[in-house]
Amino acid sequence: MISRRHLPVIAAGLLATPALAQPAWPARQIRLVVPYPPGGASDIAGRLQAQALSDGLGVPVVVDNRAGAGGTIGTAHVAQSAPDGYTVMMASPSSHLGAPLLFKTPGYEGVDDFSAIATFATGTAMVCVHPGLPINNIQELVAYAKANPSKLNYGSAGAGGANHMLGVLFMQRTGTELTHVPYRGAAPALADLIAGNIQVVFDSYSGIIGTVRAGQVRALAVTNPTRWPLAPEYPTVQEQGVPNYDLPSFSAVMGPKGIPAPIVARMNAAINDGLKKPQMIERLAANGNAPYPSTPEAFATLMRTQRGLWQELVRSTGLQPE
């Protein structure tokens, strides 16, 4: 027979049982959404993120490519997913800062609708000109542009993208006027630069360094605020006299708003530990990137700061959401 004095202890144990029965996170595979097609630089970044998370958390992390509408389809899907840590995504300035400003109904707000988990990798762009121009550095580019307002054409991968905004920021910081020529991707813009149909591009390091080293285009600077470790021979725009020129390029891991802080902390630690491994560093370098560890708090601050800058840049162009 159970004595009366034992009943409170038994009751307490019964009440505690459901909580103890809850499986520890992660108890199953995690899905990492890449909002772009397979095979590109973003897909590569996502697959490296998946590897770091899987290695650090001890569960499979599968990549789910959900491409379309400038990255908004996959990004909106993640924003609307359960905040349980089992659905995250490869995030970038294009998906979270540019696209929400360029689409009338993207289905999400790029900062407030997400949990900032971890920055992953950072890249840089290069300011390059056609080699036929009498321009060898940033100050000569500024002087030439001021002497020939709106006569220098710069190409980008499309209106509102990072390559476009780098040019807008350059004009703001230098007081110059360049004419923007949007293309359907970076490759045709680069082809027209080589052909001399346009004169300037602000293109990713990984996308343009081959033509630079082949002498087909001339690199004036990297857009990173410090010299790029993969090409330290190229000076920065800032060290050539253009203050506050910085539009960070990065890939990161984000999830739906409301993921519990302990889960965010575990994913952040898994990413940061993965970024210390020599093999990961080598694979990032092969893709033109460098490790970019941070805390969730620092990442959230970066996103809020960059949102304001992107809003200012897009507003200055007069671009309207479509």
Side-chain angles (χ1 to χ4, degrees):
M1 177 180 291
I2 299 173
S3 67
R4 188 181 299 273
R5 74 173 185 272
H6 291 137
L7 288 176
V9 176
I10 295 171
L14 291 172
L15 289 172
T17 299
L20 292 174
Q22 293 297 316
W25 184 92
R28 53 185 170 86
Q29 75 175 22
I30 295 169
R31 188 164 53 102
L32 188 144
V33 174
V34 175
Y36 302 104
S42 296
D43 181 58
I44 293 171
R47 293 179 188 279
L48 293 178
Q49 291 174 1
Q51 177 187 330
L53 285 170
S54 181
D55 291 346
L57 298 174
V59 296
V61 180
V62 298
V63 172
D64 180 5
N65 293 93
R66 290 183 176 246
T72 61
I73 290 176
T75 307
H77 170 77
V78 173
Q80 296 155 13
S81 297
D84 55 12
Y86 290 105
T87 299
V88 295
M89 71 173 293
M90 192 295 301
S92 68
S94 294
S95 60
H96 283 69
L97 300 173
L101 298 172
L102 299 172
F103 289 83
K104 287 183 178 179
T105 55
Y108 60 92
E109 201 289 319
V111 178
D112 296 335
D113 288 346
F114 293 87
S115 296
I117 296 171
T119 50
F120 181 70
T122 184
T124 192
M126 304 189 86
V127 185
C128 295
V129 298
H130 186 268
L133 288 175
I135 297 172
N136 296 285
N137 55 55
I138 291 296
Q139 285 305 314
E140 290 180 357
L141 174 60
V142 172
Y144 192 96
K146 287 185 174 179
N148 300 275
S150 300
K151 292 184 179 180
L152 285 178
N153 298 318
Y154 82 95
S156 80
N163 298 22
H164 180 195
M165 294 301 107
L166 282 166
V168 174
L169 183 63
F170 184 82
M171 289 187 283
Q172 286 188 356
R173 297 291 190 260
T174 60
T176 54
E177 295 179 16
L178 309 177
T179 298
H180 176 232
V181 182
Y183 290 81
R184 291 184 177 274
L190 179 56
D192 260 9
L193 177 68
I194 293 171
N197 297 323
I198 58 175
Q199 293 77 45
V200 186
V201 296
F202 300 79
D203 199 358
S204 68
Y205 165 82
S206 58
I208 203 167
I209 188 62
T211 58
V212 170
R213 290 178 173 161
Q216 294 174 290
V217 301
R218 179 181 297 139
L220 308 182
V222 294
T223 61
N224 207 51
T226 57
R227 293 210 180 196
W228 190 235
L230 302 179
E233 66 272 26
Y234 295 103
T236 71
V237 174
Q238 288 198 39
E239 71 181 272
Q240 295 186 68
V242 182
N244 302 318
Y245 187 80
D246 184 20
L247 193 67
S249 170
F250 57 88
S251 63
V253 180
M254 300 186 84
K257 179 181 180 180
I259 296 178
I263 293 178
V264 169
R266 286 197 61 189
M267 284 193 283
N268 181 272
I271 290 292
N272 288 344
D273 288 345
L275 291 174
K276 298 174 185 176
K277 296 180 179 179
Q279 184 180 15
M280 180 66 76
I281 295 171
E282 290 174 6
R283 293 185 68 183
L284 287 173
N287 201 32
N289 293 310
Y292 187 16
S294 73
T295 65
E297 295 77 17
F299 179 25
T301 298
L302 171 68
M303 291 299 292
R304 289 192 295 270
T305 301
Q306 287 300 302
R307 176 174 58 184
L309 177 56
W310 276 71
Q311 287 172 340
E312 174 193 341
L313 292 174
V314 171
R315 190 181 304 116
S316 72
T317 66
L319 287 172
Q320 296 298 316
E322 297 180 356

